Amino acid sequence: MLDFLIESILKVLVVFGVLLFVVAYTTWLERRVLGRIQVRHGPNRVGPQGLLQPLADGLKGFFKEDIVPVNADKIVYVLAPVLSIVPALMIVAVIPFGDSFRLFGREITMRITDVNVALLYILGLAGLGEYGVMLGGWASNNRYGLLGSLRTAAQMISYELALGLTLISVIMVSGSLSLVEIVNTQTVWWNAFKQPLAFFLFLICGLAEINRTPFDMPEAEAELACGFNIEYSSMKFAMFFMAEYAHLISLAMIITCLFLGGWYLPFGIPTPGLLKFPVFLAKVFVLVFFFIWERGTFPRLRYDQIMRLGWKWLMPLALANIFVTGVVVTAVA
Amino acid sequence: MAVITPLLKGLAFTLKRFFSKPITYQYPEQKREPSERWRGLHRLKTENGQLKCVACGLCEAVCPAKVITVEAKETPDGRRFPNRFVVEVTRCIFCGYCQEACPKDAIELTPNYEFCGYTREEFHMTRDVLARN
């Protein structure tokens, strides 16, 4: 019991630390890649290739004045950033990063835990994370903030529906809600090959769910001047910021597990034990790069376009996909 | 398909940009050559160690921002020279009219665009400072 406890605590610490490190460096990666897309350098002054930029940003965040607006709802205002970042970090608890390895004669699995309802857990936390954004904008008693919150609420409802429906077809193919099980059904054919439409829809809905360009209505810089986080400064803002990138990385990891075969190479090519974790990392990196790349490419959708896309295209397509998948799965069985 | 093709086109375009070389001038290390006619910091020209300026006051008169102050004086042998010549560089609009108006070709705007200071007084450039620029 005790060694299990120690192992779990160590794993949590390692995963948490690595995640925060990766979150910090994703901001660096994003700024560099966006810079190169716009034919400029991006941050390259702090340290070699600007690699110490996240440290400098963190330091700056600490020393900024922490402002609470006079008319803000103080408790909710302070609570909102926490409510935003905690679920974002908690999602990682159920994600398997690789198979298992032996250390000091112990079989150590490369995941914090394997819950048999992992997908429900992820959906729940994803929904919870949006509350931080909604409450933050509402509690700061600012018109732009409120508009950002309203948009978050509307966007969350429209896209979480399609997101859930897309997941159902994946569950039908895999026959499980546990991420480890889902990955293990993809040794030969990834779900992205079996369910190309679901993969595409999940990618779009996922982007909308984490408020990423081209669906970044809640914080539309041009119209809302940063929307929900307009009144936030210092570490409170940094927490929203980190939550955003933690969501980005979790989304990449979830897509890797659900559609890109986790730590398996495609078409049944055997994956050597040592390569499993690097394969997983490579897939996550490619996805994160794609998210940055599309941010540098696509303009933000207009509000009515987002609503129309969500309700009139993604939802019916996801439903049709469930129907077709159901027919095929029954026919095969 | 009609919806997706433009999106892919856009992605291809940005990817091409991603692999192209940045066009940024990395300023302090990599300086940009100003054009030949760049109007930067003022200079009072000298000839045989003497200022060319005869303190006629035309530049002062023509200056639209009214940043030039000239006070004339005469040497014992009857040659006019500027006893005081101040350009308030912070307020100057770098139009180059002073250079154009000067009958003696005594003032010019150099291509130097890198001048800075900590106090406003440093930018009230006097005759000798301007001659050294």
Side-chain angles (χ1 to χ4, degrees):
Chain A
M1 186 61 207
L2 187 66
D3 50 350
F4 168 75
L5 210 63
I6 293 173
E7 186 193 324
S8 298
I9 289 172
L10 278 180
K11 268 200 264 186
V12 168
L13 286 179
V14 168
V15 169
F16 190 68
V18 170
L19 182 70
L20 284 184
F21 180 81
V22 172
V23 163
Y25 275 92
T26 311
T27 64
W28 172 84
L29 183 76
E30 165 141 54
R31 289 169 69 187
R32 287 297 301 230
V33 171
L34 280 182
R36 292 304 300 269
I37 282 173
Q38 293 157 6
V39 207
R40 55 189 178 82
H41 287 281
N44 63 351
R45 288 300 155 114
V46 194
Q49 293 296 315
L51 273 173
L52 297 178
Q53 187 70 40
L55 275 181
D57 287 343
L59 210 64
K60 180 184 157 199
F62 269 115
F63 286 113
K64 285 268 171 180
E65 189 183 352
D66 200 357
I67 300 165
V68 179
V70 183
N71 291 325
D73 186 329
K74 301 239 163 31
I75 298 168
V76 183
Y77 180 83
V78 174
L79 202 64
V82 182
L83 208 54
S84 185
I85 194 167
V86 171
L89 297 176
M90 273 167 70
I91 288 180
V92 189
V94 294
I95 290 172
F97 308 104
D99 222 359
S100 56
F101 61 93
R102 295 195 72 79
L103 194 70
F104 306 127
R106 271 183 73 90
E107 185 87 6
I108 293 177
T109 48
M110 292 198 65
R111 55 179 178 267
I112 291 178
T113 177
D114 177 22
V115 193
N116 57 2
V117 287
L119 272 183
L120 290 182
Y121 173 86
I122 287 172
L123 276 181
L125 283 179
L128 198 61
E130 303 274 353
Y131 277 97
V133 173
M134 272 162 65
L135 291 176
W138 175 75
S140 42
N141 199 4
N142 179 302
R143 287 178 187 82
Y144 290 128
L146 185 64
L147 272 175
S149 303
L150 285 175
R151 287 177 174 190
T152 319
Q155 193 170 309
M156 183 181 80
I157 293 167
S158 351
Y159 280 82
E160 207 151 85
L161 222 56
L163 191 87
L165 289 176
T166 342
L167 281 182
I168 289 177
S169 53
V170 176
I171 297 164
M172 284 161 92
V173 171
S174 303
S176 171
L177 281 172
S178 145
L179 282 179
V180 180
E181 295 267 314
I182 291 176
V183 169
N184 280 330
T185 58
Q186 301 178 62
T187 42
V188 181
W189 291 101
W190 292 355
N191 277 344
F193 300 126
K194 286 192 224 161
Q195 290 279 342
L197 184 63
F199 175 57
F200 188 61
L201 292 180
F202 191 85
L203 207 60
I204 299 175
C205 295
L207 286 176
E209 188 69 17
I210 62 170
N211 299 329
R212 181 115 185 121
T213 347
F215 304 100
D216 60 343
M217 284 283 39
E219 51 172 311
E221 290 96 344
E223 321 136 50
L224 295 186
C226 283
F228 68 93
N229 62 29
I230 188 167
E231 294 286 3
Y232 283 91
S233 61
S234 185
M235 280 321 277
K236 292 206 195 74
F237 170 76
M239 272 152 103
F240 274 127
F241 200 66
M242 277 152 67
E244 204 170 290
Y245 284 90
H247 272 134
L248 180 79
I249 292 161
S250 350
L251 179 68
M253 290 198 285
I254 292 166
I255 291 179
T256 306
C257 287
L258 290 182
F259 291 100
L260 300 180
W263 52 87
Y264 290 115
L265 289 169
F267 312 122
I269 302 168
T271 327
L274 268 180
L275 267 181
K276 280 178 178 168
F277 184 55
V279 164
F280 182 86
L281 272 191
K283 287 173 188 171
V284 172
F285 177 79
V286 167
L287 279 171
V288 168
F289 182 83
F290 175 76
F291 294 152
I292 299 173
W293 176 21
E294 61 83 27
R295 178 179 175 182
T297 308
F298 301 138
R300 181 181 306 123
L301 266 71
R302 216 170 50 213
Y303 184 71
D304 59 317
Q305 290 170 332
I306 283 188
M307 287 298 128
R308 195 167 47 197
L309 181 70
W311 291 101
K312 288 193 178 167
W313 288 97
L314 299 184
M315 250 257 290
L317 275 176
L319 278 172
N321 194 40
I322 290 178
F323 181 72
V324 173
T325 314
V327 169
V328 171
V329 167
T330 328
V332 169
Chain B
M1 220 52 227
V3 185
I4 293 168
T5 330
L7 297 182
L8 294 179
K9 257 189 190 165
L11 284 174
F13 183 82
T14 43
L15 195 65
K16 216 161 61 194
R17 285 287 177 279
F18 176 72
F19 286 112
S20 66
K21 207 170 156 333
I23 54 168
T24 317
Y25 282 89
Q26 304 237 44
Y27 168 59
E29 297 98 36
Q30 203 182 358
K31 282 180 181 144
R32 187 170 179 156
E33 261 323 290
S35 78
E36 267 175 55
R37 297 168 57 176
W38 180 272
R39 299 192 297 263
L41 191 57
H42 314 67
R43 171 165 65 195
L44 284 178
K45 290 195 194 169
T46 50
E47 202 175 44
N48 307 326
Q50 277 194 319
L51 285 173
K52 278 174 150 184
C53 179
V54 294
C56 62
L58 274 178
C59 50
E60 188 179 8
V62 81
C63 183
K66 302 216 184 330
V67 298
I68 303 181
T69 320
V70 192
E71 268 174 36
K73 212 177 175 184
E74 265 182 45
T75 51
D77 55 337
R79 198 181 166 279
R80 281 168 62 95
F81 71 96
N83 189 35
R84 204 166 147 255
F85 193 109
V86 182
V87 179
E88 287 180 48
V89 182
T90 37
R91 279 174 44 223
C92 176
I93 60 170
F94 298 97
C95 61
Y97 281 7
C98 45
Q99 181 177 5
E100 232 170 272
C102 186
K104 292 287 181 188
D105 188 25
I107 189 165
E108 70 169 351
L109 299 183
T110 61
N112 177 13
Y113 57 89
E114 298 172 294
F115 41 98
C116 51
Y118 290 101
T119 60
R120 200 167 293 179
E121 285 67 41
E122 283 173 58
F123 291 103
H124 291 190
M125 294 194 175
T126 53
R127 183 190 64 188
D128 298 331
V129 175
L130 286 168
R132 274 197 304 271
N133 279 338

